Amino acid sequence: MKTICLYFEIHQIIHLKRYRFFEIGTDHYYYDDFANEQGINEVAERSYIPALKTLIGMAKENEGAFKVALSISGVALEQLEIHAPAVIELLHELNATGCCEFICEPYSHGLSSLANEDCFREEVNRMRRKIKDYFGKEPKVFRNSSLIYDNEVGGIVADMGFKGMLIEGAKHVLGWKSPHYLYHCAENPNLKLLMRDFKLSDDISLRFSNSEWSEYPLFADKYIGWIDALPENEQIINIFMELSALGMAQPLSSNILEFLKALPICAKQKGITFSTPTEIVTKLKSVDMVDVPYPMSWSDEERDISPWLGNVMQREAFNKLYSVAERVYLCDDSRIKQDWYYLQASNNFRFMTTKDTGVGLNRGIYDSPYDAFTNYMNILGDFLGRVDALYPVDMDNEELSSLLTTIKNQGEELAQVTAERDKLQEELKKYQEAAKKTTAKKTTASKKVSSKKTATKE
């Protein structure tokens, strides 16, 4: 039986302000608050709110037959909390239906998986805790920023305890294989891989309202018909896209939400179900491993990391940022940490791309990739100075390594003490419950004796 795994990503760009060279060292606030508020309110009104209301309605109307997965970056959650709390309320309402799974991703929606393992683990764990706090369940499936993946990243994700990971079904990786099967990581077979069908995904997110497209207009019955016509043994159809595609990339006037609402109805008629990523990786077995020696992503035709690291400017900015990764990892300054997450966001590097992809790129305040590079490097210059003030640049690697080791050992000792404390608390709780039961029995026995003595006297 075929099943559809439908997944949406929520991430919001953090807009940097115009930052001049002479402001380095004097101005430590880097953000355009007006642009951030305006941007997130626009996407919330045009996309997130109507799309989430539609998903909630679909979950309720189909009585458990429709399921969906969502991931949200930490920086997006922060912006939604400040500027669009109505979206947060809808996310909780969708969670309450029991038909939505929340997937973990890097807090910053950045590129730390390509640069520093410790920083990557830290922000993934931070996002994991935030999802648990928000929605009451610890995520079991992971997706990296823009579905960036290679064997090494898969090994780290598996080591962190995740059971599954969403990745791109890139042609240069799959070759003759189909993305409609469950695969596993080359470094650790315990990590199952769900591979995106980029054609079926892009038919909705990129082409749906394009009147020049050969399949325009696209109706739900036709779309489900394509899935039904796939070979019988190709059972998993992974449709992954940004939630903003519903309302932004594809305007609501195109009837994109009506198309979405009709999908479960048409699927049911063909015997096709909907499943969450965890259901798939739990119930089904992998058919083979996928070998990905070089990083791939879901962006551009090449499906590689060139949109963020394809030119000299991008690599210079990337290397400069992560040159202080170990120092920031040591830091407990909340402002430094927040700026670190915001400056890592992948869109900061995407604005610097010189690639001609044929798809318009909104660079925001920037006139060119060189303008984006200059502004980012000015901000980065100030940020690096603040980090150096905490951990001087003349601290050699040996000293830093020693400090890191001490902190790591202290963290492990704290974890052991916490575990021992929890164990003792549990034993104390059991002892107290047993004591209560014993006291209750004695009280009952005493009452019976008193009743007998009273009856004898009478």
Side-chain angles (χ1 to χ4, degrees):
M1 180 183 292
K2 290 184 173 62
T3 191
I4 297 171
C5 180
L6 182 63
Y7 153 80
F8 295 102
E9 171 211 36
I10 296 177
H11 171 62
Q12 185 62 27
I13 290 174
I14 303 298
H15 295 276
L16 302 178
K17 69 180 182 182
R18 281 287 179 188
Y19 193 93
R20 310 298 179 184
F21 178 78
F22 60 80
E23 294 175 290
I24 297 174
T26 61
D27 182 4
H28 303 320
Y29 192 76
Y30 312 135
Y31 314 105
D32 187 333
D33 292 332
F34 176 76
N36 284 324
E37 182 176 4
Q38 185 181 49
I40 201 159
N41 280 330
E42 181 183 11
V43 74
E45 291 172 11
R46 290 176 55 188
S47 173
Y48 294 164
I49 291 175
L52 287 171
K53 285 182 177 178
T54 299
L55 293 173
I56 292 167
M58 292 168 69
K60 292 178 178 178
E61 291 165 11
N62 291 281
E63 300 178 339
F66 171 74
K67 296 175 183 178
V68 67
L70 286 173
S71 76
I72 314 167
S73 69
V75 295
L77 267 179
E78 289 184 11
Q79 293 298 302
L80 290 170
E81 288 168 347
I82 297 169
H83 302 301
V87 175
I88 302 290
E89 292 176 9
L90 289 172
L91 288 170
H92 284 298
E93 189 176 344
L94 180 59
N95 183 47
T97 66
C99 298
C100 179
E101 176 181 355
F102 287 91
I103 295 170
C104 190
E105 70 165 69
Y107 194 92
S108 69
H109 196 271
L111 308 174
S112 60
S113 62
L114 302 174
N116 188 285
E117 182 178 335
D118 288 333
C119 288
F120 176 63
R121 285 176 178 267
E122 180 189 46
E123 65 170 321
V124 171
N125 283 327
R126 182 180 180 184
M127 194 68 233
R128 186 186 241 167
R129 291 191 299 271
K130 199 169 185 74
I131 292 173
K132 177 72 180 294
D133 292 342
Y134 256 77
F135 305 112
K137 294 179 182 178
E138 186 168 320
K140 294 180 173 60
V141 175
F142 181 77
R143 65 91 64 184
N144 203 3
S145 311
S146 301
L147 298 193
I148 291 173
Y149 177 83
D150 62 15
N151 294 334
E152 185 177 355
V153 171
I156 296 170
V157 171
D159 186 61
M160 295 180 73
F162 289 100
K163 304 301 180 187
M165 186 169 177
L166 312 186
I167 68 172
E168 177 66 8
K171 286 182 178 178
H172 70 274
V173 170
L174 280 172
W176 57 269
K177 297 177 182 177
S178 167
H180 304 140
Y181 294 93
L182 188 63
Y183 296 93
H184 64 261
C185 171
E187 288 200 4
N188 191 326
N190 292 324
L191 183 73
K192 306 292 178 58
L193 303 176
L194 291 159
M195 306 195 74
R196 174 178 179 259
D197 184 316
F198 63 83
K199 181 189 179 300
L200 287 173
S201 300
D202 292 348
D203 284 343
I204 298 175
S205 63
L206 298 182
R207 293 183 279 271
F208 183 82
S209 61
N210 182 3
S211 59
E212 296 181 359
W213 180 34
S214 61
E215 300 295 345
Y216 179 86
L218 179 61
F219 295 102
D221 57 348
K222 181 198 287 188
Y223 188 80
I224 293 297
W226 293 343
I227 294 173
D228 184 54
L230 292 170
E232 187 176 347
N233 56 347
E234 296 189 12
Q235 298 182 350
I236 307 168
I237 294 83
N238 299 308
I239 301 170
F240 305 160
M241 68 192 80
E242 297 178 5
L243 187 63
S244 61
L246 310 179
M248 299 296 286
Q250 307 305 320
L252 298 182
S253 58
S254 68
N255 293 321
I256 184 70
L257 295 183
E258 285 69 21
F259 166 84
L260 191 70
K261 284 190 284 189
L263 287 178
I265 300 169
C266 295
K268 187 176 180 180
Q269 293 171 352
K270 297 288 187 179
I272 298 171
T273 64
F274 283 80
S275 299
T276 63
T278 294
E279 287 176 339
I280 292 173
V281 301
T282 302
K283 294 177 181 178
L284 300 181
K285 292 183 179 181
S286 166
V287 297
D288 197 4
M289 70 91 169
V290 174
D291 184 24
V292 189
Y294 304 105
M296 67 173 179
S297 75
W298 72 355
S299 294
D300 295 350
E301 186 66 27
E302 295 83 0
R303 303 290 197 268
D304 58 13
I305 57 174
S306 60
W308 308 279
L309 299 175
N311 63 43
V312 175
M313 293 183 297
Q314 292 170 311
R315 292 190 291 273
E316 172 67 14
F318 176 83
N319 291 333
K320 275 286 186 185
L321 176 65
Y322 286 103
S323 68
V324 294
E326 291 182 335
R327 286 169 165 76
V328 175
Y329 181 70
L330 293 173
C331 173
D332 58 1
D333 184 297
S334 58
R335 280 291 305 276
I336 290 283
K337 284 287 190 182
Q338 185 179 53
D339 291 337
W340 172 248
Y341 289 125
Y342 287 0
L343 293 177
Q344 283 188 89
S346 62
N347 53 276
N348 291 314
F349 301 96
R350 187 69 189 262
F351 291 150
M352 302 175 200
T353 186
T354 51
K355 286 183 68 176
D356 182 9
T357 62
V359 179
L361 173 63
N362 181 4
R363 298 185 198 271
I365 63 172
Y366 306 122
D367 298 324
S368 68
Y370 313 101
D371 186 24
F373 172 74
T374 301
N375 199 67
Y376 184 80
M377 292 304 284
N378 285 341
I379 290 173
L380 195 55
D382 183 79
F383 178 74
L384 296 180
R386 290 163 58 202
V387 174
D388 288 343
L390 287 174
Y391 298 101
V393 71
D394 58 1
M395 178 186 288
D396 60 32
N397 289 336
E398 190 172 329
E399 288 179 281
L400 189 61
S401 178
S402 175
L403 191 54
L404 280 170
T405 301
T406 301
I407 290 174
K408 183 180 179 182
N409 291 339
Q410 288 175 341
E412 290 174 352
E413 288 174 9
L414 181 61
Q416 290 175 354
V417 170
T418 302
E420 186 64 26
R421 181 205 64 189
D422 293 342
K423 183 180 178 182
L424 290 173
Q425 285 179 338
E426 188 65 28
E427 290 178 358
L428 178 61
K429 185 178 177 182
K430 290 179 180 178
Y431 173 78
Q432 288 173 336
E433 289 175 354
K436 284 181 182 179
K437 290 179 181 178
T438 302
T439 302
K441 286 180 181 179
K442 288 181 178 179
T443 302
T444 302
S446 178
K447 285 181 179 179
K448 287 181 179 179
V449 170
S450 297
S451 298
K452 287 181 179 179
K453 285 182 179 180
T454 302
T456 303
K457 287 179 181 181
E458 291 176 352

